[in-house]
Amino acid sequence: MASSSSTARVRRQLPTSPWLFAAPGLLVVGVFILYPFVSTVVNAFTDRRTLIPGTFVGLANFRELLHDDMFWIGLRNSTLYVLGVVPALVLLPLLLALLVQKNIPGITFFRSAFYTPVVASIVVVGLIWVWLLDERGLVNSLLESIGVGRVGFLSDQWLLLLSAMAVTVWKGLGYYMIIYLAALANVPRELHEAASVDGAGAVRRFLTVTVPAVRSTMVLVAALSSVAAFKVFSEVYLMAGPDGGPAGEDTTLVMLVQRTGTGLTGRVGYASAISVVVFVVTVGLMLLVLRADRKEDA
Amino acid sequence: MRISRRALAAAATVAVLLPLSACGSGSDGSGSTDASGKVEGDITFQTWNLRANFKPYFEGVIADFEKKYPGTHVKWVDQPAEGYADKISADAAGGTLPDVVNVSPDLVAPLAKAGLALDLDKSAAQYKKEYLDGAWASHQIPGMTGTYAFPWYLNTGPLFYNKSLFEEAGLDASKPPTTYDELFADALQLAKKSDGKVATLANVPTIEDFGRYGVELMNKEGTAFAFNDAKGVELLTKYKELYDAKALDPQALTATPESSGKKFLTEAVAMNPGSALDLGNFKKQAPNLYKNIGITDQITSTSKVNMYVMGVMVNSRTKHTPASVAFAHFVTDAQNQMSFAKKVAIFPSTAGSLDDPYFTKEDGTDETRVRIAAAKSLKNAVNYTPVLFSEQMKTALRNEVAKALQGKESPKTALDNAVKACDTLLKQQG
């Protein structure tokens, strides 16, 4: 009996030293990740404001969300962003990676050039695109010179959103291209050679050899880019302005969190409720993509 | 050495909850409201984006104060303009608000409501007579008794216009519009003559525009907004006409003061508000525009222009109330305000300062002309921005105005919605 009790005690005990090594990391995770997360979830059920702690209000914030037009506009735009940006970011970087994959003289220059937008500051990128797409900017001057006339890229609700999507895709191409380059390096050359021998052309080789070989990378890119797209803030904020475009029609959910929850009169509780929705949807998106991947495997 | 799972779980919980409790506590060390004691101690003074251009001035003021009150030490911190309200809110929530803070009335309101701003009517009433009555009242909060910041500098600005664009449209450039009715007539003519290529304005109407148009912004008690009255609807209807005729820039719905200023620089827009500081800018960045620059008073249909008020607030939780109050008064007294006004195009809020020859005597330069005109208009100027009008309310108004201009809502519906949204936000502020 005594023996089984001490065995149980031994089983309940853990070695100390690994935990001591892990302690700094755990502390950082606790303070900077776990605490803000738990705090956000807790705040979502309160009417907390920036300077006032607030009280527990149950599901009131979530009920209010259902009747808040701006929330639905934000949800619509964030969803549209995912639908517009993710397919482009899954396919275009792959094509770009195929282009720069070959080791020909000067290819490093092109790889670096395509990667440049990734390292450029989003604020600088946003400002440059605002100048380009302005009513009197370069793009409109070109369009006018060929007789198309000026286009309201920055004043029309939908064109503004599309313009912001284009910037997101432009800025993300290089990043995902690098991921695809790594994946393409692992595709056996023999597979391409065998397909060639069987008479497959470039397109057929791409569809029957390359795509299946990098499919798991495509899923990864889809998962990463969909989460990033749903949480988009900077591009839309810089191009549409702090109000989120004309009448706030280009507001995304994260912009709404920022607008609602910050400042001296910020509604921290309500903004936290929106953040919880963003969290749930992004987790849902990840699960959806991974589930689709598993179905393909099966 | 081994530890149990239970001990480990407890340690992890403490590790997570300890910072949680610290972050939630805020500052509970409330200071005294009595400012009559000995002026001594270390205090912190926070300004709003002033270090870059006025470092020697503030260092001089601080040195003078420390000399006048031995035993005091002032630590000066300056915050960038961008995100200033966010910085204050983070400090206020975290209990690290400086002892003396540069604020505007709309920033004071939530701080006063949260009990973080010292009531100067209780702690520093003896200084009240040194300031213009209107300026002293500018930091009073509807629904509360007391005054929560020393008035500091006042600002107003003229309206700049492009004379050559006016002339090209067949308008008399020597007679710019002075009322909203004249502005609308001129703007429509300018748009018509330029075939919609030159807009007169680049910004949608703000709450200050509604005020200058003569719209009652809030009820007398300050408990609800009222800018959806017939006059408000009339103003928005006229702006809609301008927007449809392209007399209001098509990008006005997403414009910021910076972007509309740029449009004026590139001569895409004929009029833009500004300050005497802008003249130097025009001279350097747009010499062609500078040659054609016209300067006129703000458009107003009430005969009173809008003014912006800056204040200096004392943190009610300061541990050195006498020193903080004394310093806030020192920075804003007549001598220091006058000295500051001579370094930058701002105007003192102290009684009698605007009668100084610096604000009344012409010397033939444009800068002086703008300064004198502005100083003159300040004597009966009004701060049209309601103290309780928060950033969220400004956004709500801009969004509804945009819907009206786009024709998605009637001006009446848009303003009703804006007032409803602002009233809701007002109630939520408590």
Side-chain angles (χ1 to χ4, degrees):
Chain A
M1 192 69 191
S3 159
S4 79
S5 148
S6 67
T7 311
R9 197 165 56 243
V10 167
R11 211 180 288 137
R12 281 204 306 272
Q13 285 178 336
L14 292 166
T16 314
S17 48
W19 290 103
L20 285 177
F21 281 113
L26 285 174
L27 196 67
V28 170
V29 168
V31 173
F32 295 108
I33 297 174
L34 205 55
Y35 164 66
F37 176 77
V38 172
S39 173
T40 302
V41 175
V42 170
N43 282 335
F45 297 95
T46 70
D47 60 357
R48 182 174 182 161
R49 279 169 282 147
T50 302
L51 300 177
I52 296 160
T55 51
F56 179 75
V57 293
L59 292 171
N61 287 327
F62 294 94
R63 276 197 295 273
E64 191 181 334
L65 278 179
L66 296 176
H67 303 101
D68 183 348
D69 291 344
M70 204 43 86
F71 168 73
W72 291 109
I73 288 172
L75 187 63
R76 177 197 70 195
N77 290 334
S78 294
T79 309
L80 284 176
Y81 223 84
V82 172
L83 297 175
V85 159
V86 174
L89 280 178
V90 169
L91 286 177
L92 295 180
L94 177 57
L95 298 176
L96 209 58
L98 286 170
L99 278 178
V100 299
Q101 183 194 15
K102 293 195 171 61
N103 277 320
I104 54 171
I107 198 66
T108 316
F109 167 77
F110 287 101
R111 284 178 190 165
S112 309
F114 291 134
Y115 195 73
T116 306
V118 179
V119 290
S121 150
I122 184 64
V123 177
V124 175
V125 167
L127 287 176
I128 290 171
W129 279 91
V130 164
W131 293 337
L132 287 172
L133 298 174
D134 187 84
E135 201 86 6
R136 289 177 169 235
L138 182 69
V139 175
N140 265 318
S141 300
L142 288 173
L143 289 174
E144 197 171 37
S145 67
I146 58 169
V148 176
R150 292 179 189 274
V151 179
F153 292 110
L154 302 179
S155 53
D156 178 83
Q157 166 195 346
W158 298 113
L159 285 176
L160 228 166
L161 204 62
L162 278 173
S163 303
M165 286 179 190
V167 175
T168 302
V169 171
W170 177 80
K171 198 173 180 333
L173 280 179
Y175 177 72
Y176 296 114
M177 178 192 78
I178 295 288
I179 295 178
Y180 278 126
L181 275 174
L184 286 172
N186 292 324
V187 180
R189 185 184 286 270
E190 300 80 48
L191 288 177
H192 278 283
E193 287 168 357
S196 294
V197 169
D198 289 345
V203 175
R204 197 166 176 78
R205 281 207 308 278
F206 172 73
L207 293 173
T208 56
V209 178
T210 309
V211 170
V214 298
R215 198 175 55 81
S216 55
T217 309
M218 290 171 84
V219 172
L220 172 73
V221 170
L224 292 177
S225 60
S226 57
V227 169
F230 195 77
K231 296 196 299 179
V232 67
F233 174 80
S234 308
E235 293 91 320
V236 184
Y237 185 88
L238 288 164
M239 299 182 77
D243 289 343
E249 288 286 351
D250 293 302
T251 302
T252 63
L253 280 181
V254 178
M255 283 176 79
L256 192 59
V257 171
Q258 185 266 347
R259 197 191 303 157
T260 313
T262 58
L264 285 159
T265 52
R267 296 181 65 202
V268 178
Y270 191 63
S272 298
I274 306 172
S275 301
V276 168
V277 172
V278 172
F279 172 75
V280 169
V281 174
T282 46
V283 168
L285 271 173
M286 291 283 282
L287 292 176
L288 207 69
V289 173
L290 296 174
R291 191 183 167 88
D293 185 39
R294 271 207 301 274
K295 267 190 181 171
E296 285 287 323
D297 284 338
Chain B
M1 183 188 158
R2 289 180 170 269
I3 52 173
S4 70
R5 277 177 201 268
R6 197 172 294 169
L8 191 73
T13 309
V14 169
V16 170
L17 292 182
L18 203 63
L20 211 147
S21 60
C23 292
S25 66
S27 171
D28 55 357
S30 60
S32 164
T33 55
D34 182 10
S36 61
K38 192 180 177 201
V39 176
E40 61 181 1
D42 292 1
I43 57 170
T44 306
F45 170 48
Q46 179 174 294
T47 51
W48 190 341
N49 196 30
L50 294 171
R51 185 185 286 271
N53 293 320
F54 309 107
K55 191 177 171 203
Y57 169 76
F58 283 102
E59 284 175 346
V61 170
I62 289 166
D64 290 346
F65 179 77
E66 288 173 347
K67 195 175 164 191
K68 186 176 174 185
Y69 298 104
T72 59
H73 175 71
V74 180
K75 184 186 169 195
W76 175 33
V77 289
D78 187 66
Q79 296 296 339
E82 190 79 19
Y84 188 75
D86 292 334
K87 171 69 184 151
I88 288 190
S89 59
D91 280 341
T96 54
L97 197 65
D99 302 282
V100 180
V101 191
N102 178 186
V103 285
S104 55
D106 56 317
L107 293 184
V108 167
L111 290 168
K113 284 191 172 186
L116 292 170
L118 195 70
D119 179 359
L120 301 179
D121 282 341
K122 283 184 185 156
S123 307
Q126 70 272 29
Y127 300 125
K128 183 180 173 181
K129 59 183 180 301
E130 293 178 23
Y131 302 89
L132 296 170
D133 289 342
W136 185 264
S138 62
H139 292 97
Q140 293 169 348
I141 319 296
M144 293 180 76
T145 52
T147 302
Y148 294 91
F150 282 101
W152 198 10
Y153 58 87
L154 310 174
N155 210 347
T156 185
L159 196 60
F160 293 111
Y161 65 101
N162 188 320
K163 283 182 185 170
S164 66
L165 292 178
F166 266 63
E167 279 157 9
E168 281 166 27
L171 295 166
D172 184 352
S174 64
K175 285 184 184 165
T178 56
T179 65
Y180 277 92
D181 287 340
E182 290 170 13
L183 171 71
F184 296 141
D186 288 358
L188 289 172
Q189 187 168 332
L190 240 147
K192 197 176 168 189
K193 291 276 179 177
S194 67
D195 205 17
K197 282 187 180 144
V198 177
T200 300
L201 301 171
N203 278 311
V204 297
T206 58
I207 194 76
E208 292 87 4
D209 283 299
F210 282 90
R212 280 186 302 228
Y213 194 68
V215 178
E216 205 65 51
L217 301 178
M218 289 190 91
N219 65 12
K220 285 193 176 65
E221 299 77 34
T223 52
F225 289 93
F227 52 81
N228 56 340
D229 65 2
K231 211 146 179 63
V233 174
E234 185 182 289
L235 178 73
L236 192 49
T237 306
K238 287 185 176 174
Y239 262 92
K240 163 87 175 125
E241 283 172 35
L242 295 190
Y243 185 73
D244 290 344
K246 295 195 175 171
L248 181 64
D249 187 75
Q251 282 177 228
L253 305 189
T254 53
T256 59
E258 292 77 25
S259 66
S260 54
K262 207 182 295 163
K263 283 191 178 279
F264 183 69
L265 272 182
T266 56
E267 307 195 46
V269 167
M271 296 189 97
N272 199 49
S275 72
L277 279 177
D278 292 317
L279 279 173
N281 227 7
F282 298 151
K283 210 184 279 186
K284 205 169 16 173
Q285 292 184 29
N288 277 341
L289 171 70
Y290 185 71
K291 278 182 222 155
N292 292 314
I293 204 78
I295 305 165
T296 185
D297 291 335
Q298 285 180 28
I299 304 288
T300 176
S301 298
T302 62
S303 76
K304 291 177 180 178
V305 299
N306 182 56
M307 73 170 174
Y308 298 96
V309 188
M310 272 293 159
V312 175
M313 184 200 96
V314 175
N315 180 356
S316 64
R317 308 269 167 93
T318 179
K319 287 182 177 135
H320 303 286
T321 307
S324 299
V325 169
F327 183 72
H329 170 251
F330 190 76
V331 170
T332 60
D333 70 13
Q335 190 188 330
N336 279 317
Q337 283 211 48
M338 195 64 205
S339 150
F340 193 35
K342 287 185 177 174
K343 294 187 184 306
V344 62
I346 53 96
F347 302 89
S349 62
T350 38
S353 297
L354 291 173
D355 297 326
D356 188 281
Y358 183 71
F359 297 109
T360 55
K361 205 172 169 188
E362 291 274 6
D363 64 2
T365 62
D366 279 346
E367 283 82 357
T368 305
R369 191 158 65 83
V370 172
R371 184 170 65 240
I372 290 171
K376 201 174 156 192
S377 65
L378 269 174
K379 289 190 173 167
N380 68 346
V382 176
N383 178 14
Y384 283 113
T385 315
V387 172
L388 298 173
F389 206 64
S390 67
E391 281 305 315
Q392 284 87 354
M393 294 176 193
K394 286 177 193 167
T395 303
L397 174 61
R398 282 196 296 262
N399 286 346
E400 290 300 327
V401 164
K403 283 179 194 168
L405 297 181
Q406 290 174 312
K408 290 179 178 173
E409 284 175 357
S410 71
K412 172 71 181 152
T413 309
L415 288 182
D416 284 348
N417 289 342
V419 164
K420 197 175 156 194
C422 291
D423 282 344
T424 305
L425 288 165
L426 190 65
K427 278 189 195 124
Q428 283 164 351
Q429 278 177 23

